[in-house]
């Protein structure tokens, strides 16, 4: 039995699940195996993750094993390294070479879906997709065997998109995080994937989804909103009340491992030999898996152009390219190998001599110490990825360059460009001329500039290690899990229509607060019609009856302007709030202007986080925050890099924290400013109520409130405004802190507490078609609200003659062609400000 002390000191168990284990196995006998480190950034990154967890790895051991003796022996060897193997056997080829690397990988890297060829292969999308699912189930089985209650499961990458769903189906309580190491593409590209929706839906069952950059995260959110029709908020994705948090966690390396390695005598020796070998020449280094996304042909073409145009450099420079073999069984990778060999041969043939070759191309991986020696002696590191999740090689080069301070030429399409762009020369790898010029600039760069650029990047690499990445992810997962658990319990219920009607008829002073667009407007199917908003014709009589009822006050709250509301509601005895309450009109038709006292500032924290992220990654930029505005300033930063960062920052702001907020964004010459405009409907309603009480000289308290609309998230405070507990807590707070509260606001609260008497549950807040809402109740469409208003109008004996018009309503209501409003509204909401983020 575990003692109390032991259980306190027990470390949190973490199951890291990735396609590849950190070690790959090679069989050395019937029951003996040798293990060596797997190549690739994912493994390098995870090795740096904090040791405070009791970590176990679950993954493929890099080899097929079919016999029991072999499997048992390998499992035993791996157990010593805290690794648990998943044997993929017959599904491996179609899962890994097929679906993962032949289909998903190109899609994720904007390379398009390869054509399916039924005639010449037995591998179709479908057979590979089936194998992919089977492989994901094999991972599930191994996890189930090893799972202990309370374990955190951290799933990695595109190989395991179905695993979150399978795991949640097995046990909904498991904390699941998922991190994508590759980029996520624009929705236009992801849309081409035949099984796109199932894959997205499965990933969304996880609690936390992580990406390297804001760009990838916003692509993902946009893809989900477009393909699945779910809601994207500053927190992530909301679907039927379930929140899946989406956040950005840029990976790092363990810089000290590289810094220390460069001091080892063995590495120093290798450095001396390499320097001797390349004496009198500048060394340009490339280290990449031999993958299409790494842009090795583009690198060679850029280098060829450089040699063409700079004769004096021809025998003074050498390009050393380490091309680590990868995914050799995927046809595209085989083609790439021949292409790269062809290019290297051509360039060496054109510019080489008997004694020297411009390109040293190696088709192999190198050991860690030799890699560090290469990084340390290189003058220029050339990274020309066409698209890359992060590119850790760039970080590793910088960590090894403390003495030499060489130059990093970095593709703007690598995730690393967002963090190392200030010190690197950024290039578009597709532009051969630009690559050639960047090589020249790097080779000729004065020492002072090299020092400064290196200093900026070294500082970043040191302060953002992989440990921080892992810690940040897990701590966010803890928080997210607790929050989403709480949120699920708050899903609102359907409206109890009978209760609403009965309480209405028994009340003496009722207040109906209604939204306009999507609530009272005419249902329509054509987006252009929005320009000419009309009142739903079925409501004319109903609304007149309600407005003329002396026991009922009707208020319409809209973001539309005064003119539209005047035109539509001019004939009604109604209160109007235009532009979200900036203007108020009483029943006599007189408009007054209001200066907002309170604003919804929910967007501020999210915006601050984005500003902080970019400030951190843009040396010499800074941001200033006041209560209602934030300014990010990059006037002292590198102009080009600052502009590129500002573009990325804006993309993320629009897709995330300010997507639903009432803010103005001002892009200055060297700054981006976000500030609040106007106010929310929740704030407006308080002032409207005050005005109603004053104008009507109301003595009977309002004893019934019905509030409904299709409101933006920022306006949802309208639903909580009348909640008795919110009102009373506001009031008691105001009373306690009298010294700080203005007399005016205390008087106002007292006024409201005197005129409201909603204790008997006579408060109905009803959202239209929103699953995730602050309202108590939800209805499917505006049709339900129209129907209810009609019933309220007839529920009361004091209805006026004009009500006969609403017989119209009943006839039309029976019409089967009636289109609920919400369908249209949803499409429209997705279209607002919906420019697809573009890549730099
Ligand atoms: O396991 P393989 O199929 O041999 O491929 C190796 C890994 O390649 C990918 O790495 C990515 O992760 C890096 C760290 O986050 C990132 O810097 C890089 O840009 C990515 O390409 C892949 O995502 C891994 O799953 C593979 O293991
Ligand atoms: O022979 C080699 C050369 C490089 N690497 C490592 O492979 C990783 C490559 O990661 P990166 O993020 O640059 O790209 P990925 O290959 O994961 O797409 C880096 O950590 C390198 O140190 C390796 O394991 N063997």
């Amino acid at each position: 039995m575990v003692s109390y002390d032991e259980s306190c000191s027990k470390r949190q168990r973490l199951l890291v699940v990735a396609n590849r284990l950190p070690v790959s196995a090679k069989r050395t006998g019937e029951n003996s195996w040798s293990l060596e480190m797997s190549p690739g950034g994912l493994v390098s990154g995870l090795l740096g993750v904090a040791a405070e967890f009791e970590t176990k790895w679950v993954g493929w051991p890099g080899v097929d094993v079919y016999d029991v003796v072999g499997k048992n022996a390998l499992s035993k060897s791996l157990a010593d390294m805290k690794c648990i193997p998943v044997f993929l056997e017959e599904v491996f080829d179609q899962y890994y070479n097929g679906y993962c690397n032949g289909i998903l990988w190109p899609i994720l890297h904007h390379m398009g879906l390869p054509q399916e060829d039924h005639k010449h292969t037995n591998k179709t999308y479908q057979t590979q997709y089936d194998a992919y699912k089977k492989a994901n189930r094999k991972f599930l089985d191994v996890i189930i065997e090893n799972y202990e209650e309370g374990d955190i499961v951290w799933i990695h990458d595109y190989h395991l998109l179905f695993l979150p769903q399978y795991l949640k189906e097995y046990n909904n309580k498991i904390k699941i995080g998922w991190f994508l190491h590759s980029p996520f593409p624009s929705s236009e590209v992801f849309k081409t994937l035949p099984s796109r929706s199932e894959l997205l839906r499965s990933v969304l069952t996880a609690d936390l989804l992580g990406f390297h950059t804001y760009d990838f995260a916003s692509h993902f959110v946009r893809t989900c909103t477009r393909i699945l029709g779910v809601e994207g908020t500053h927190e992530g994705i909301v679907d039927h009340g379930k929140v899946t948090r989406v956040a950005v966690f840029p990976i790092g390396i363990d810089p000290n491992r590289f810094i220390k390695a460069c001091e080892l005598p063995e590495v120093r020796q290798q450095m001396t030999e390499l320097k001797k070998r390349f004496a009198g020449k500048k060394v340009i280094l490339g280290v990449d898996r031999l993958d299409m996304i790494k842009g090795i042909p583009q690198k060679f073409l850029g280098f060829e152009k450089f040699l063409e145009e700079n004769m004096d450099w021809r025998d003074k420079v050498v390009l050393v390219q380490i091309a680590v073999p990868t995914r050799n069984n995927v046809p595209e990778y085989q083609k790439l190998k021949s292409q790269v060999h062809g290019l290297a041969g051509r360039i060496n043939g054109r510019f080489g001599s008997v004694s020297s070759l411009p390109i040293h191309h190696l088709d192999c991986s190198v050991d860690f110490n030799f890699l560090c020696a290469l990084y340390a002696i290189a003058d220029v590191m050339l990274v020309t990825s066409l698209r890359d999740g992060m590119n850790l090689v760039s970080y590793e080069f910088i960590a090894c360059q403390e003495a030499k301070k060489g130059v990093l030429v970095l593709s703007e399409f690598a995730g690393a460009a967002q963090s190392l762009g200030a010190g690197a020369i950024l290039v578009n790898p597709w532009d051969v001329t630009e690559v050639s010029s960047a090589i020249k600039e790097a080779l000729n760069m004065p020492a002072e500039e090299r020092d400064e650029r290196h200093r900026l990047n070294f500082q970043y690499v040191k302060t953002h290690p992989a440990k921080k990445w892992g810690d940040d992810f897990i701590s966010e997962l803890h928080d997210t899990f607790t929050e989403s658990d709480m949120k699920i319990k708050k899903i609102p219920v359907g409206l109890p229509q009978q209760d609403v009607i009965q309480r209405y008829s028994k009340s003496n002073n009722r207040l109906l607060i209604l939204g306009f667009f999507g609530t009272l407007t005419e249902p329509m199917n054509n987006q252009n019609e929005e320009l000419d908003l009309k009142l739903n014709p079925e409501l004319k009589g109903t609304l007149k009856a309600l407005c003329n009822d002396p026991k009922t006050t009707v208020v319409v709250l809209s973001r539309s302007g005064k003119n539209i509301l005047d035109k539509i509601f001019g004939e009604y005895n109604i209160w109007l709030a235009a532009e979200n309450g900036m203007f108020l009109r009483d029943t006599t038709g007189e408009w007054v202007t209001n200066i907002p006292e309170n604003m919804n500032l929910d967007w501020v924290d999210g915006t601050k986080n984005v500003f902080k992220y970019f400030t951190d990654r843009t040396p010499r930029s800074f941001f200033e925050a006041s209560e209602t505005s934030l300014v990010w300033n990059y006037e002292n930063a590198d102009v080009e890099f600052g502009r590129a960062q500002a573009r990325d920052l804006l993309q993320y702001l629009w897709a995330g924290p300010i997507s639903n907020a009432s803010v103005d964004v001002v892009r200055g010459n060297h700054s981006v400013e976000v500030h609040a405009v106007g106010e929310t409907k929740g704030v407006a309603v308080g002032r409207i109520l005050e005005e109603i009480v004053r104008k009507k000289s109301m003595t009977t308290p309002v004893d019934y409130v019905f509030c409904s609309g299709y409101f933006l998230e920022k306006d949802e405070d309208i639903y909580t405004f009348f909640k008795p507990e919110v009102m009373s807590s506001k009031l008691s707070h105001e009373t306690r802190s009298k010294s700080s509260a203005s007399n005016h606001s205390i008087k106002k609260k007292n006024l409201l507490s005197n005129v409201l008497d909603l204790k008997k549950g006579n408060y109905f807040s009803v959202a239209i078609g929103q699953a995730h809402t602050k309202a108590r109740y939800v209805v499917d469409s505006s049709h339900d609200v129209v129907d209810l208003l009609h019933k309220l109008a007839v529920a009361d004996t004091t209805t006026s003659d004009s009500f006969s018009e609403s017989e119209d309503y009943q006839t039309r209501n029976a019409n089967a062609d009636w289109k609920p409003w919400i369908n249209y509204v949803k499409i429209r909401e997705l279209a607002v400000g919906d420019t697809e983020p573009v890549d730099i």
Side-chain angles (χ1 to χ4, degrees):
M1 197 173 141
V2 183
S3 73
Y4 176 75
D5 280 351
E6 273 169 340
S7 74
C8 286
S9 64
K10 230 180 140 190
R11 286 180 302 165
Q12 165 74 57
R13 271 174 50 108
L14 173 67
L15 297 183
V16 173
V17 190
N19 171 63
R20 212 176 248 292
L21 286 174
V23 286
S24 296
K26 260 201 196 125
R27 200 159 193 166
T28 48
E30 201 200 346
N31 60 0
S32 60
W33 292 87
S34 77
L35 302 175
E36 58 182 56
M37 281 271 286
S38 307
L42 186 148
V43 167
S44 309
L46 279 166
L47 285 177
V49 171
E52 60 245 36
F53 300 103
E54 169 74 41
T55 307
K56 291 235 189 293
W57 297 70
V58 177
W60 172 63
V63 67
D64 293 333
V65 196
Y66 293 92
D67 61 303
V68 180
V69 179
K71 279 185 187 173
N72 288 344
L74 179 55
S75 301
K76 217 161 152 250
S77 303
L78 287 170
D80 298 338
M81 324 236 1
K82 302 202 179 313
C83 292
I84 306 163
V86 180
F87 296 110
L88 294 167
E89 297 163 335
E90 76 292 346
V91 297
F92 177 76
D93 180 44
Q94 296 230 30
Y95 148 75
Y96 178 76
N97 296 319
Y99 202 74
C100 292
N101 294 323
I103 294 180
L104 287 176
W105 182 260
I107 288 275
L108 293 171
H109 289 85
H110 274 186
M111 305 199 133
L113 199 58
Q115 183 64 48
E116 186 175 30
D117 185 357
H118 286 285
K119 279 204 175 137
H120 297 105
T121 172
N122 56 356
K123 286 186 197 172
T124 63
Y125 287 160
Q126 194 56 48
T127 57
Q128 296 176 71
Y129 184 57
D130 293 344
Y132 182 79
K133 284 181 159 177
K134 276 189 195 150
N136 275 243
R137 289 233 174 255
K138 284 182 185 262
F139 275 85
L140 171 75
D141 295 341
V142 175
I143 296 172
I144 291 175
E145 262 172 50
N146 291 278
Y147 177 78
E148 287 180 17
E149 202 185 321
D151 284 0
I152 294 175
V153 180
W154 188 5
I155 302 170
H156 292 265
D157 244 341
Y158 58 98
H159 311 85
L160 300 171
L161 297 176
F162 277 114
L163 194 53
Q165 183 192 321
Y166 294 165
L167 268 170
K168 285 281 181 182
E169 281 165 4
Y170 162 71
N171 178 349
N172 193 34
K173 295 232 156 48
I174 302 182
K175 285 181 196 173
I176 302 178
W178 174 81
F179 187 87
L180 183 66
H181 290 262
S182 76
F184 196 89
S186 137
S187 62
E188 292 301 312
V189 177
F190 196 82
K191 256 203 262 181
T192 59
L193 192 61
S195 36
R196 61 207 185 174
S197 301
E198 300 93 277
L199 292 166
L200 290 175
R201 287 215 179 278
S202 167
V203 175
L204 288 177
T205 58
D207 301 290
L208 171 64
L209 309 180
F211 297 84
H212 280 313
T213 70
Y214 272 127
D215 200 17
F216 305 153
S218 62
H219 274 168
F220 176 80
V221 171
R222 198 57 71 102
T223 302
C224 289
T225 57
R226 288 196 161 170
I227 293 178
L228 303 178
V230 293
E231 193 189 351
T233 72
H234 62 281
E235 286 176 294
I237 300 289
V238 182
D239 186 17
H240 292 93
K242 152 100 169 91
V243 181
T244 309
R245 177 109 176 86
V246 177
V248 177
F249 305 91
I251 201 172
I253 58 166
D254 175 2
N256 292 331
R257 185 165 163 248
F258 289 86
I259 295 168
K260 280 189 193 141
C262 290
E263 285 158 10
L264 293 173
E266 184 197 332
V267 176
R268 293 205 161 266
Q269 175 63 28
Q270 286 172 329
M271 283 163 61
T272 311
E273 280 163 22
L274 284 166
K275 280 183 197 159
K276 218 193 284 165
R277 170 77 187 79
F278 297 119
K281 293 188 181 188
K282 294 271 186 188
V283 176
I284 302 176
L285 178 65
V287 178
D288 309 271
R289 277 182 305 105
L290 186 54
D291 193 308
M292 291 76 69
I293 67 147
K294 301 292 180 181
I296 300 175
Q298 284 75 2
K299 186 177 334 197
F300 285 5
L301 290 173
F303 185 58
E304 184 178 38
K305 188 154 177 66
F306 170 75
L307 294 176
E308 262 166 23
E309 291 175 351
N310 298 278
M311 283 178 60
D312 48 332
W313 273 105
R314 283 185 191 167
D315 50 2
K316 294 190 195 113
V317 64
V318 61
L319 168 61
V320 178
Q321 177 65 48
I322 308 292
V324 182
T326 185
R327 307 171 190 173
N328 295 325
N329 294 324
V330 180
E332 289 303 314
Y333 286 74
Q334 293 160 359
K335 280 186 222 151
L336 176 69
K337 195 168 177 180
S338 335
Q339 189 196 1
V340 166
H341 286 182
L343 276 172
R346 179 175 94 192
I347 297 164
N348 281 341
R350 280 184 74 189
F351 302 105
S353 66
V354 178
S355 54
S356 90
L357 291 175
I359 297 185
H360 291 236
H361 177 86
L362 301 173
D363 272 331
C364 62
S365 60
V366 291
D367 76 34
F368 178 70
N369 285 350
F370 186 65
L371 182 65
C372 291
L374 273 172
Y375 282 143
I377 60 102
D379 297 277
V380 176
M381 179 87 208
L382 188 49
V383 178
T384 50
S385 308
L386 306 179
R387 197 99 181 131
D388 213 339
M390 182 54 83
N391 192 277
L392 292 180
V393 157
S394 321
Y395 285 59
E396 295 168 2
F397 167 73
I398 284 164
C400 295
Q401 281 277 323
E402 253 194 306
K404 185 130 200 181
K405 300 183 172 46
V407 183
L408 172 65
V409 176
L410 176 60
S411 162
E412 57 186 65
F413 299 118
Q418 214 166 67
S419 35
L420 303 179
I425 301 178
L426 292 183
V427 289
N428 171 2
W430 295 98
D431 185 340
V432 177
T433 311
E434 201 178 310
V435 175
S436 158
S437 311
I439 294 174
K440 188 170 177 182
E441 187 187 343
L443 290 171
N444 290 313
M445 190 176 283
E448 264 173 38
E449 189 179 342
R450 283 196 282 116
D451 281 4
E452 176 58 5
R453 285 176 180 263
H454 173 78
R455 193 183 60 76
L456 293 172
N457 281 345
F458 191 72
Q459 166 76 6
Y460 181 83
V461 171
K462 279 282 277 181
T463 51
H464 295 79
K467 177 184 180 328
K468 179 172 157 37
W469 166 72
D471 289 351
D472 287 354
F473 187 93
I474 299 294
S475 106
E476 183 73 33
L477 180 57
H478 272 299
D479 297 351
T480 306
F481 193 76
T482 323
E483 278 169 29
S484 69
D485 209 27
M486 278 158 52
K487 276 177 189 152
I488 283 172
K489 289 176 190 133
K490 277 199 242 153
I491 297 174
V493 293
L495 184 65
Q497 223 196 42
Q498 276 317 310
D499 195 34
V500 180
I501 298 165
Q502 268 171 22
R503 283 175 186 270
Y504 179 85
S505 53
K506 283 184 197 151
S507 305
N508 292 313
N509 191 5
R510 313 113 168 185
L511 184 59
L512 304 185
I513 302 166
L514 304 167
F516 173 48
F517 186 82
T519 310
L520 305 179
T521 41
E522 188 178 40
M524 48 191 165
N525 303 312
N526 182 345
Q527 214 161 314
N528 294 331
E529 291 178 46
E530 189 196 340
L531 301 171
D532 187 20
L533 292 174
K534 290 195 180 90
L535 181 68
N536 185 335
E538 273 114 45
L539 268 173
K540 283 188 177 168
T542 305
L543 204 57
K544 197 157 265 177
L546 291 168
C547 289
N548 289 343
D549 184 335
K551 289 204 273 178
T552 302
T553 306
V554 184
V555 181
V556 170
L557 254 173
S558 173
R559 68 187 144 104
S560 298
K562 290 184 290 180
N563 293 347
I564 295 179
L565 297 187
D566 265 339
K567 194 174 117 204
I568 289 171
F569 297 100
E571 62 184 285
Y572 297 93
N573 198 10
I574 203 167
W575 285 78
L576 300 173
E579 294 182 32
N580 278 339
M582 291 299 275
F583 300 96
L584 272 187
R585 199 200 84 158
D586 62 19
T587 48
T588 66
E590 199 185 313
W591 285 99
V592 286
T593 313
N594 284 281
I595 297 160
E597 269 184 9
N598 297 305
M599 288 176 185
N600 185 327
L601 297 172
D602 286 353
W603 54 273
V604 171
D605 282 348
T607 305
K608 259 189 203 161
N609 285 341
V610 176
F611 277 18
K612 200 171 157 305
Y613 174 92
F614 282 93
T615 303
D616 208 20
R617 281 157 187 79
T618 315
R620 290 187 291 267
S621 72
F622 59 94
F623 80 91
E624 291 167 315
S626 73
E627 247 172 73
T628 60
S629 89
L630 291 155
V631 187
W632 180 65
N633 189 311
Y634 57 94
E635 65 190 0
N636 302 325
D638 176 85
V639 183
E640 297 265 305
F641 184 56
R643 275 196 204 124
Q645 295 285 75
R647 269 202 310 271
D648 280 351
L649 175 144
L650 279 169
Q651 271 179 26
Y652 191 74
L653 285 181
W654 285 121
I658 62 168
S659 63
N660 227 353
S662 180
V663 294
D664 273 340
V665 177
V666 184
R667 178 141 190 209
N669 257 350
H670 299 103
S671 64
V672 176
E673 181 179 345
V674 184
H675 60 81
V677 288
E679 60 178 348
T680 63
K681 292 190 167 72
V683 175
V685 84
R687 286 182 299 102
I688 295 167
L689 187 59
E690 237 188 304
E691 203 57 19
I692 294 172
V693 172
R694 198 176 61 79
K695 275 257 166 118
K696 281 190 156 180
S697 307
M698 219 178 243
T699 45
T700 321
V702 173
D703 56 356
Y704 180 98
V705 174
F706 175 87
C707 170
S708 181
Y710 184 83
F711 296 129
L712 295 180
E713 193 187 330
K714 77 175 179 64
D715 288 323
E716 286 231 332
D717 54 349
I718 195 170
Y719 295 132
T720 47
F721 182 86
F722 292 99
K723 263 186 165 175
E725 60 274 24
V726 173
M727 290 297 292
S728 67
S729 83
K730 273 187 196 162
L731 291 170
S732 60
H733 175 74
E734 295 286 355
T735 322
R736 261 185 290 150
S737 55
K738 259 188 186 154
S739 54
S740 61
S742 72
N743 283 341
H744 172 73
S745 100
I746 294 171
K747 263 191 224 154
K748 196 168 88 179
K749 299 290 175 200
N750 287 340
L751 175 79
L752 293 184
S753 68
N754 290 338
V755 296
L756 283 173
D757 180 18
L758 301 174
K759 289 188 198 93
K760 297 165 209 142
N762 281 7
Y763 172 54
F764 298 94
S765 54
V766 188
I768 303 177
Q770 305 280 75
H772 181 61
T773 172
K774 289 179 183 154
R776 277 186 185 164
Y777 306 101
V778 277
V779 290
D780 286 339
S781 77
S782 62
H783 180 54
D784 298 304
V785 177
V786 172
D787 179 47
L788 184 83
L789 290 176
H790 174 73
K791 286 176 180 153
L792 293 183
V794 287
D796 209 7
T797 47
T798 55
T799 46
S800 75
D801 300 344
S802 60
F803 186 63
S804 56
E805 277 179 49
S806 74
E807 277 159 20
D808 229 23
Y809 166 83
Q810 281 162 338
T811 331
R812 290 194 193 204
N813 197 20
N815 182 348
D817 286 343
W818 201 91
K819 294 265 188 310
W821 231 108
I822 191 64
N823 294 339
Y824 168 73
V825 172
K826 263 191 183 155
I827 293 161
R828 189 188 152 279
E829 281 297 315
L830 294 180
V832 172
D834 202 11
T835 45
E836 179 70 9
V838 282
D839 305 304
I840 333 162

